[in-house]
Amino acid sequence: MDIRKNIRNKTSYIFTVTKIYLSVALILLKRGPFLLIDLWRYPWLFNFLKLYKLYKIMNFRKGHFKDGSVCTLNGIAILITNYIYDMLKNPDKLVLAEDIIPPEIIRAMGLTPFSPEILAIVLTIITPDAMEKYIDICENSGIPGDLCSLPKCAMGMALGNVLPKPKAIVASNLPCDAGMMSYVTIEKHMDVPIIRLDVPYNFRSDRAITYFSEELARMIHFLEEHTDGKMDWQELKNILKERNKTQETELELWDLAKTKPTPVASEMIYLSHLVTFNIFPGDKRSTEIFRKLIEFGKKNLEEGKGAIENETYRILLWNPPFAHFPMAFSWAETKHQAVLIMDSMTFNTIDYVDTATNESMIKGLADIIMQGPMSRHVRGPSENYFNDIFYIHNHFKIDMIWVADNIGCKMSAGLNEILREKCRERNIPVLVISYDLMDQRFTSSEDIKTCIDNFMETIMTGNLETGLFDTDAKHMISTER
Amino acid sequence: MATETAESKSFGSNGNQMMFSLFDTIIRSPLNRFMEQAVDEGKIPIGYTCSYIPRMILSAKNLVPFRVFAPGVSSTEMADTYLPSTICSYTKSILDFAINGRYDFLKGWVLTSSCQHMSRFFDNLKHTVNPPFIKIIDLPNRVSESAIRWMMAEMNELRTDIQTHFQITVSDEDLNEAINRHNDSVQLLSAIGELRKNKTPVISGTEFHKLMMAALVAPEAFLFKPLSDIKDALSKRELKEDYRARVILVGGQLDDPAYINIIEQSGALVVSDRICTGSIPGLDPIPHGTDPIERISAHTLTKTSCPRMMDNFQARLAAIISAYETFQADGIIIEAIKFCDTWGLEARELTDSLREKGIPVLKLEREYRITGEGQLKTRIQAFIESMGK
């Protein structure tokens, strides 16, 4: 039986991967012979072509959850391929936009947005060591090693001359000081006109929305001045209307995730959001991905099944997921029956954009940027951070919080102890996993697994004799430096 | 002891260094004797942490500003509980002092979102100490007309909050008076600072920094006389050219003159400083005008030049080069506290840009408290030699 099952699994894997490679090839081959030049100029494209590695997640999944996971990966593969294709095809319209800058306005101006940070994340998810070379280039050039590795990737790729030269750069003071400062290096190296958007610290006020709306107006003016782009307000309206639809559909998916056991989980929630809302917001293909995911979730629900069998623990992941260890959640499902329900990069409470007037659209986008995941957690007072955590904890019936403690993220790390104390008061188990967002050499996947194992064994299942751990220690397991 | 040695070496041991002993005393501990006197007189000391916080508002009426520093900090165990090892040691040092009650004489705190470390200092200070009055100023990352308008709104809010909490009225007239006092104070310090342009300066970088620090941590009113005395005494001071190179010090938070003293002991005279507590651009007076809030906001936002201001790299570079030329410096030393994201990256870009212009640069990474004195001296000496001095 096992042999037959193995053959069936392998056949399914090969069939799925072959199918997706054909779709990817159909898009990229439109470049014709230029593709060879692209591969020479942008060697990271080879990393992207190792997409098959990501599909190993299938081996851990069953039934509709497996279908949902494959659907997510397929959707992502196609969207990313198109993203890269657009970048290669349109050098004259290329705008390098820092990861937190949503691409809606840039697209509405007939320009092609491109974010080195998003590219770095996607490539690391596909090939864990994809960015190590660029991190090294960055550090070897004199940039401090203690910075977050995401801006280090962006700077390293720029310094390594493996990014296409854009017509303009849009940067900002988001999400962090390192991200903001990285564009001094990128600007100097690329020698391209740049605009930097200023997001207030206290962004939850009308004054802040007015201030930042003016910043977006400045950005439109800048792009019209330095590129061939022209603002098409009707196109922006179309994009934002579709964005609202995608958001509405995603909320339906989150509603499913509230159910216990959850019929949808992990990549279906966090990876789908990461790619759709950061790369192709306001695109019908993004909405379609969520619609399909809801279908798979509903099938599970109708059959009375959870995404995984014997769901025992529900996880809230705080801070960006382990980019170089995307199998972390499928592993946790199998080993500990722990399932990822929600994460900080996905959850948000952003209103739909009012598309009635040009002004209302800009205000809506201003709100999206300021209240986007990570933006609102690393800016402003800590209430922004804790209120979301405890809301999600209640709303999604979370059992434990895993804090992905990215070594370079000083803003998050500066709140870890307060979080521990607040969780202790509420009797919520919290696990702090020290790692580096983009660099597996700091904490390997094995180290992350060991950390989780220790936490699950000592805290969640209490397998060890009582008395070995005092009540305080119950909440203090971590791999902290 | 080290301080006295360096001063004696550069300017003769004729007793002149005694003139700075008052300032040494002031910066030895957070609660200095002048601050103590001010507290006894019913003044309201307010702690602040950054040059982007306008001292003028905090010195209006019976308020007294105190630039928070942690002299003599040796370890930060309490702060280490709350802040990770990747937070800058200035932040940790002042949190540790705060938790240990070293700033209990302060009646309030005004902080700013100048960097992420400071933002989290605000959160952790509130969580651990929970001062009765604590306010964080939302500081724009750009200098523009709309940013100045934003800053004015912040300043008005700060004034209102102070008035409400301390039950005082801070009128425009009070603010104008505070601005005038501020201008008098910086003009006096500027006049002393100008002496550093001489080929054989009568004041060392270490000594000047003592004056600067004292002016930031003691009430202005108490310092006019001692500063004027210093200015007069310097005119009679014996000159002695006993240094190998003239350097400009560039960097962020540095509030311990002993660090500059180590540089000077190694043979490099610090003739100008572009640091948070230094003379560039800290000693620019506030221009005349009608609305004090507008004057304070525009001045604070435009004159201070931290790497956190996204669009101003070229302006900062130009200011450093200008100082290099004006003060006839031989080289530039850039110091940044480890884990400071803004200065860490700025230091790299400044180093490259200055070297491209043929200016010798030494980049140093340091902790808030002085560590590795021997290594530091070796690096300074090697830098001086590399300049052929």
Side-chain angles (χ1 to χ4, degrees):
Chain A
M1 278 301 284
D2 277 351
I3 296 172
R4 216 179 293 168
K5 196 177 156 190
N6 271 344
I7 292 171
R8 205 167 48 231
N9 280 347
K10 278 195 177 153
T11 312
S12 159
Y13 172 77
I14 291 168
F15 178 72
T16 309
V17 170
T18 309
K19 210 169 127 190
I20 197 66
Y21 267 85
L22 282 172
S23 307
V24 168
L26 278 176
I27 300 167
L28 289 181
L29 287 175
K30 284 192 278 181
R31 288 286 292 153
F34 291 110
L35 187 59
L36 293 174
I37 300 171
D38 295 336
L39 284 164
W40 176 70
R41 289 175 67 185
Y42 311 122
W44 46 261
L45 276 169
F46 288 105
N47 292 105
F48 176 68
L49 293 174
K50 291 175 186 167
L51 207 57
Y52 67 90
K53 289 186 174 182
L54 206 50
Y55 282 79
K56 283 181 184 162
I57 284 176
M58 285 173 64
N59 299 334
F60 292 87
R61 304 275 162 74
K62 291 175 187 166
H64 303 305
F65 186 32
K66 182 178 178 176
D67 297 337
S69 303
V70 171
C71 171
T72 309
L73 297 182
N74 286 347
I76 289 167
I78 298 299
L79 288 182
I80 300 283
T81 310
N82 277 295
Y83 188 65
I84 292 173
Y85 174 73
D86 289 348
M87 180 203 86
L88 299 174
K89 190 185 132 203
N90 300 317
D92 292 340
K93 293 181 174 181
L94 208 57
V95 173
L96 195 155
E98 194 188 359
D99 58 337
I100 301 286
I101 309 295
E104 291 91 335
I105 291 178
I106 299 172
R107 287 223 168 84
M109 295 181 76
L111 299 167
T112 304
F114 164 65
S115 156
E117 292 88 2
I118 299 238
L119 187 67
I121 290 172
V122 169
L123 291 173
T124 305
I125 289 173
I126 295 170
T127 321
D129 62 357
M131 285 296 122
E132 289 174 9
K133 181 182 169 186
Y134 304 111
I135 291 170
D136 290 346
I137 289 175
C138 181
E139 290 183 2
N140 292 344
S141 80
I143 286 160
D146 57 88
L147 296 185
C148 171
S149 50
L150 187 56
K152 279 196 289 189
C153 291
M155 284 185 280
M157 289 175 93
L159 294 172
N161 298 312
V162 295
L163 292 177
K165 188 165 180 168
K167 290 291 160 193
I169 298 175
V170 182
S172 74
N173 57 347
L174 291 174
C176 59
D177 288 345
M180 172 184 82
M181 291 300 295
S182 66
Y183 278 81
V184 176
T185 304
I186 293 172
E187 177 200 11
K188 196 177 166 204
H189 188 78
M190 288 192 153
D191 194 21
V192 168
I194 185 168
I195 184 169
R196 295 176 170 90
L197 306 178
D198 184 18
V199 178
Y201 169 84
N202 280 315
F203 50 81
R204 295 175 193 271
S205 69
D206 289 343
R207 179 157 71 99
I209 290 186
T210 305
Y211 180 81
F212 194 61
S213 297
E214 284 174 23
E215 288 289 283
L216 289 181
R218 195 167 65 86
M219 170 183 137
I220 293 168
H221 179 72
F222 165 85
L223 288 175
E224 285 184 340
E225 197 180 321
H226 293 280
T227 68
D228 294 335
K230 181 96 188 111
M231 190 64 198
D232 180 342
W233 292 100
Q234 185 53 47
E235 181 57 18
L236 183 65
K237 184 180 260 194
N238 296 340
I239 290 172
L240 293 177
K241 276 185 174 173
E242 188 61 38
R243 191 191 196 284
N244 286 345
K245 270 188 211 165
T246 315
Q247 195 175 329
E248 195 181 349
T249 321
E250 189 188 37
L251 284 176
E252 214 180 313
L253 185 76
W254 291 1
D255 271 344
L256 290 173
K258 284 195 294 189
T259 320
K260 213 170 173 177
T262 180
V264 292
S266 196
E267 297 83 34
M268 290 174 79
I269 290 169
Y270 88 88
L271 217 45
S272 57
H273 179 91
L274 185 78
V275 174
T276 54
F277 281 91
N278 287 292
I279 297 181
F280 279 107
D283 189 301
K284 285 190 166 54
R285 290 169 296 185
S286 296
T287 316
E288 196 50 35
I289 290 174
F290 283 112
R291 284 210 179 105
K292 283 182 187 165
L293 296 181
I294 289 166
E295 277 174 32
F296 292 120
K298 280 185 176 168
K299 280 181 189 168
N300 264 339
L301 204 62
E302 281 160 16
E303 293 169 20
K305 289 180 183 169
I308 65 165
E309 288 171 13
N310 306 319
E311 172 189 303
T312 311
Y313 305 109
R314 295 162 69 88
I315 310 164
L316 160 63
L317 182 78
W318 203 252
N319 295 337
F322 323 104
H324 52 76
F325 185 28
M327 303 292 172
F329 306 109
S330 46
W331 168 82
E333 289 156 14
T334 312
K335 176 116 192 241
H336 297 292
Q337 292 76 52
V339 63
L340 178 71
I341 300 292
M342 187 48 72
D343 67 290
S344 62
M345 300 299 287
T346 301
F347 181 77
N348 61 76
T349 51
I350 297 163
D351 282 339
Y352 297 121
V353 179
D354 176 2
T355 56
T357 64
N358 297 351
E359 195 191 18
S360 68
M361 288 193 286
I362 291 295
K363 280 194 170 178
L365 278 168
D367 204 29
I368 285 173
I369 299 170
M370 294 195 293
Q371 304 240 18
M374 225 163 125
S375 312
R376 73 179 188 285
H377 296 140
V378 294
R379 295 193 79 71
S382 59
E383 286 77 17
N384 291 346
Y385 193 88
F386 297 121
N387 290 352
D388 271 5
I389 291 179
F390 297 122
Y391 174 82
I392 297 170
H393 176 263
N394 291 332
H395 194 70
F396 290 95
K397 306 177 187 84
I398 298 294
D399 295 305
M400 57 188 168
I401 299 167
W402 290 5
V403 178
D405 186 24
N406 175 18
I407 179 76
C409 186
K410 295 150 191 176
M411 282 297 266
S412 298
L415 292 178
N416 278 350
E417 187 54 31
I418 305 180
L419 175 65
R420 281 195 185 102
E421 289 183 7
K422 286 183 184 290
C423 284
R424 216 172 279 154
E425 285 163 14
R426 293 168 172 79
N427 208 24
I428 302 170
V430 58
L431 166 67
V432 178
I433 306 167
S434 188
Y435 82 117
D436 186 301
L437 178 60
M438 307 296 290
D439 193 344
Q440 60 177 348
R441 293 169 295 183
F442 179 75
T443 306
S444 68
S445 56
E446 288 308 311
D447 290 339
I448 292 174
K449 284 199 261 188
T450 305
C451 175
I452 294 170
D453 278 342
N454 289 343
F455 174 78
M456 297 304 293
E457 284 167 18
T458 57
I459 307 305
M460 299 308 293
T461 55
N463 280 344
L464 296 182
E465 287 176 35
T466 32
L468 281 176
F469 299 92
D470 62 29
T471 48
D472 269 2
K474 179 180 171 187
H475 303 283
M476 292 180 75
I477 294 284
S478 80
T479 59
E480 273 184 290
R481 52 236 164 240
Chain B
M1 282 304 287
T3 306
E4 286 177 13
T5 309
E7 284 163 18
S8 311
K9 187 183 165 197
S10 297
F11 301 98
S13 52
N14 58 0
N16 276 345
Q17 67 268 26
M18 292 303 289
M19 70 174 85
F20 291 95
S21 58
L22 170 70
F23 296 92
D24 276 330
T25 317
I26 291 173
I27 60 176
R28 198 171 291 152
S29 153
L31 184 54
N32 57 69
R33 73 182 215 212
F34 291 138
M35 188 58 83
E36 214 165 351
Q37 195 180 330
V39 173
D40 289 345
E41 288 171 8
K43 305 267 186 203
I44 304 169
I46 307 285
Y48 74 99
T49 49
C50 174
S51 306
Y52 281 105
I53 297 165
R55 286 174 57 84
M56 297 65 83
I57 293 183
L58 306 184
S59 60
K61 211 74 173 195
N62 57 341
L63 302 172
V64 182
F66 170 79
R67 178 136 187 162
V68 177
F69 73 140
V73 63
S74 55
S75 60
T76 55
E77 282 81 11
M78 287 306 291
D80 292 343
T81 311
Y82 286 93
L83 297 173
S85 55
T86 49
I87 290 282
C88 96
S89 45
Y90 168 63
T91 310
K92 289 214 269 192
S93 300
I94 58 174
L95 182 65
D96 203 81
F97 265 40
I99 295 173
N100 283 310
R102 299 288 302 274
Y103 305 127
D104 282 356
F105 63 95
L106 295 174
K107 303 281 184 246
W109 289 75
V110 178
L111 309 173
T112 177
S113 57
S114 50
C115 70
Q116 298 185 326
H117 302 258
M118 275 298 119
S119 299
R120 288 309 180 226
F121 172 71
F122 166 76
D123 294 313
N124 280 281
L125 182 68
K126 242 170 72 166
H127 181 76
T128 52
V129 179
N130 198 14
F133 180 81
I134 182 165
K135 165 99 184 152
I136 186 162
I137 292 172
D138 185 346
L139 186 66
N141 277 97
R142 291 184 66 237
V143 182
S144 64
E145 278 181 24
S146 57
I148 291 173
R149 283 200 303 276
W150 178 275
M151 192 70 175
M152 284 171 66
E154 291 292 308
M155 293 304 103
N156 275 319
E157 205 177 288
L158 174 64
R159 171 157 76 166
T160 308
D161 288 353
I162 284 174
Q163 291 182 139
T164 311
H165 182 84
F166 296 108
Q167 297 291 299
I168 55 172
T169 306
V170 180
S171 65
D172 280 2
E173 201 179 317
D174 295 327
L175 289 175
N176 280 325
E177 272 177 29
I179 291 173
N180 291 341
R181 275 200 308 274
H182 171 83
N183 283 351
D184 290 346
S185 172
V186 295
Q187 271 162 13
L188 188 52
L189 283 162
S190 281
I192 298 170
E194 284 291 300
L195 299 171
R196 300 162 82 193
K197 285 182 182 168
N198 298 340
K199 192 164 181 300
T200 49
V202 289
I203 181 167
S204 70
T206 310
E207 290 167 338
F208 184 73
H209 195 235
K210 285 179 188 173
L211 307 184
M212 286 296 295
M213 276 311 298
L216 293 171
V217 300
E220 276 166 347
F222 294 108
L223 282 185
F224 281 122
K225 174 82 173 60
L227 282 174
S228 301
D229 290 348
I230 284 273
K231 194 180 157 215
D232 295 341
L234 286 173
S235 62
K236 297 167 202 153
R237 202 176 201 194
E238 178 187 322
L239 306 179
K240 190 175 177 189
E241 189 178 339
D242 191 14
Y243 55 86
R244 292 164 64 193
R246 296 164 66 94
V247 295
I248 292 176
L249 188 62
V250 172
Q253 177 72 24
L254 173 61
D255 53 38
D256 189 349
Y259 187 82
I260 299 176
N261 192 47
I262 294 169
I263 296 173
E264 298 195 320
Q265 276 182 322
S266 310
L269 186 73
V270 177
V271 289
S272 182
D273 38 59
R274 202 255 70 106
I275 52 179
C276 295
T277 52
S279 55
I280 302 173
L283 294 180
D284 293 345
I286 299 175
H288 294 290
T290 46
D291 180 358
I293 288 288
E294 188 180 356
R295 290 167 72 196
I296 289 169
S297 304
H299 174 78
T300 307
L301 206 56
T302 52
K303 68 100 192 182
T304 313
S305 192
C306 174
R308 72 176 303 285
M309 287 302 177
M310 298 186 286
D311 292 336
N312 294 19
F313 176 77
Q314 290 303 333
R316 289 190 293 273
L317 179 64
I320 293 166
I321 293 171
S322 163
Y324 173 79
E325 288 162 357
T326 314
F327 286 87
Q328 301 166 68
D330 299 304
I332 290 171
I333 296 176
I334 301 175
E335 55 82 19
I337 294 184
K338 195 166 169 52
F339 303 121
C340 175
D341 295 320
T342 48
W343 269 106
L345 268 158
E346 178 91 345
R348 188 256 187 205
E349 295 307 327
L350 282 177
T351 305
D352 279 5
S353 301
L354 291 166
R355 282 186 184 151
E356 278 166 20
K357 293 186 187 304
I359 298 174
V361 185
L362 172 66
K363 190 173 86 171
L364 298 170
E365 204 172 53
R366 68 180 188 90
E367 292 292 340
Y368 174 68
R369 69 171 187 269
I370 292 176
T371 53
E373 187 174 332
Q375 289 94 326
L376 178 58
K377 280 183 177 171
T378 306
R379 291 202 63 193
I380 304 286
Q381 285 158 359
F383 179 55
I384 295 170
E385 278 177 31
S386 75
M387 291 190 287
K389 297 286 175 183

